[in-house]
Amino acid sequence: MGDTFQTIVDLDASPQDAARLAEPVVDWLVAEGIVLAPAEPGWALGDHPAHPPGPNWPKAVADGRWGAPEGLALHTGHHIFYSLGQRGPDAVTCPRCGKTTAVEGDVSSRFSTAAGAWHETGTADVDCPACADSVPLSAWRWTDNSLAFVHLGFQFWNWPALSEDFRARIAQFLDGHSTAYLQGKV
């Protein structure tokens, strides 16, 4: 059994813009009846408040016959999102030089140290093994979107598969920012 999650993250949101960017998305979801307001504890894993599913939640999924969704947890502070059920990221791509590097040995250690700093402070840099530039951890792109170090994420707990159209619609609210889709099971 277990719990599943699907997360749509804004890869470009700054700490200052995260709440502002999240507001129209949540307003739209509530207006469409996909989720209810206000967020309440008990609708997501742990005590994090989440918006319960609304009567029109099937509008968000590819096939509403499967599953009974729980809540939408909104994260507007620095957060590390990940996909579970995979081996982990095989490689990471530098946004400056475009070089993709395997995540192993010393490279893995560099990113692990930076992830700890990000978790504590919401900021960290990693020197690119290829071009030697210092690059913010949040700017790196991970294989198969297996990790995201971001300030804005919409995490859907135990929902059937979100439709591509729905994920694209959420992205339209985010000022042209890049998004990623992560999923997993705990």
Side-chain angles (χ1 to χ4, degrees):
M1 298 258 342
D3 292 297
T4 62
F5 59 87
Q6 299 169 77
T7 310
I8 300 167
V9 298
D10 182 325
L11 296 169
D12 303 322
S14 70
Q16 299 79 17
D17 289 337
R20 176 189 62 79
L21 291 165
E23 187 175 341
V25 175
V26 173
D27 289 347
W28 171 70
L29 293 170
V30 170
E32 290 287 317
I34 295 169
V35 299
L36 302 175
E40 306 168 356
W43 287 98
L45 195 63
D47 293 331
H48 189 87
H51 294 272
N56 297 328
W57 67 264
K59 292 167 82 174
V61 301
D63 188 344
R65 295 177 295 169
W66 310 111
E70 290 184 25
L72 161 62
L74 176 64
H75 297 274
T76 57
H78 67 275
H79 199 84
I80 302 171
F81 290 101
Y82 51 88
S83 290
L84 288 177
Q86 300 176 8
R87 299 189 317 249
D90 293 324
V92 62
T93 301
C94 174
R96 300 252 169 84
C97 69
K99 172 80 171 154
T100 299
T101 304
V103 180
E104 58 190 13
D106 179 53
V107 172
S108 179
S109 178
R110 287 186 212 184
F111 282 99
S112 180
T113 300
W118 173 272
H119 178 70
E120 292 297 320
T121 67
T123 186
D125 293 333
V126 177
D127 291 343
C128 176
C131 68
D133 277 356
S134 183
V135 179
L137 182 60
S138 59
W140 291 84
R141 297 300 177 247
W142 300 85
T143 305
D144 298 325
N145 291 326
S146 55
L147 284 170
F149 298 85
V150 299
H151 299 282
L152 176 56
F154 303 89
Q155 195 164 47
F156 295 82
W157 284 95
N158 294 315
W159 287 58
L162 299 174
S163 73
E164 287 185 34
D165 288 341
F166 175 74
R167 295 186 337 239
R169 182 72 176 116
I170 286 181
Q172 290 175 350
F173 284 95
L174 301 175
D175 290 354
H177 290 182
S178 299
T179 60
Y181 173 66
L182 298 89
Q183 55 186 333
K185 183 176 182 178
V186 291

